[in-house]
Amino acid sequence: MSMISTDRKIAIHPTQHSRLSGIDLESVVFGRVFSDHMFVMDYRDGQWQQPVIEPYGKMEMSPALITLHYGQSIFEGQKAYPERQWACVHFSTEGQHCPHEPQCAPYVHARDP
């Protein structure tokens, strides 16, 4: 496993158009209000690359990213076991590993457990 060196300098590219003045800091909702900036650090060839703080924006992702396929990441921490032909038993960790599932399920057209 490659560790990140603590002596690296983080490049900072400030935004030209801050949204901070339009945000009501008394009613910030998690997952709905985002920073003007984001931290980016690529991992390539077994090594962490140069860290950078840059203006909030689009990120490039592989279309093969498992999270994009049917929202599979909402089921993290759950298991399904075959019981007999064409049937399975579903095991949920009941909030330990997937507390976000009830909120996410409607977005991927999954039944609420």
Side-chain angles (χ1 to χ4, degrees), residues 2-10 39 41 47-51:
S2 174
M3 300 299 289
I4 299 172
S5 170
T6 57
D7 64 345
R8 289 187 186 213
K9 300 285 186 211
I10 299 175
F39 177 85
M41 183 180 232
Q47 297 290 320
W48 287 104
Q49 305 301 309
Q50 179 63 37

Side-chain angles (χ1 to χ4, degrees), residues 4 11 14-15 19 48-49 55 57 60 78 80 98-99:
I4 299 172
T15 184
R19 297 170 290 151
W48 287 104
Q49 305 301 309
E60 185 177 320
Q78 297 186 34
C98 49

Side-chain angles (χ1 to χ4, degrees), residues 61-109:
M61 291 187 286
S62 167
L65 189 67
I66 193 165
T67 300
L68 300 176
H69 294 274
Y70 312 106
Q72 291 175 345
S73 62
I74 73 164
F75 303 108
E76 185 66 34
Q78 297 186 34
K79 304 286 184 214
Y81 301 96
E83 184 179 58
R84 60 185 181 278
Q85 187 176 7
W86 305 112
C88 69
V89 175
H90 176 253
F91 169 75
S92 174
T93 54
E94 206 58 43
Q96 292 176 358
H97 297 288
C98 49
H100 52 284
E101 182 184 341
Q103 294 84 20
C104 297
Y107 295 103
V108 295
H109 302 285

Side-chain angles (χ1 to χ4, degrees), residues 12-42:
I12 300 174
H13 304 285
T15 184
Q16 298 297 313
H17 307 285
S18 176
R19 297 170 290 151
L20 188 57
S21 63
I23 297 174
D24 177 6
L25 297 177
E26 297 298 320
S27 61
V28 174
V29 178
F30 180 77
R32 303 271 184 203
V33 178
F34 299 97
S35 167
D36 283 339
H37 297 88
M38 59 188 190
F39 177 85
V40 178
M41 183 180 232
D42 293 329

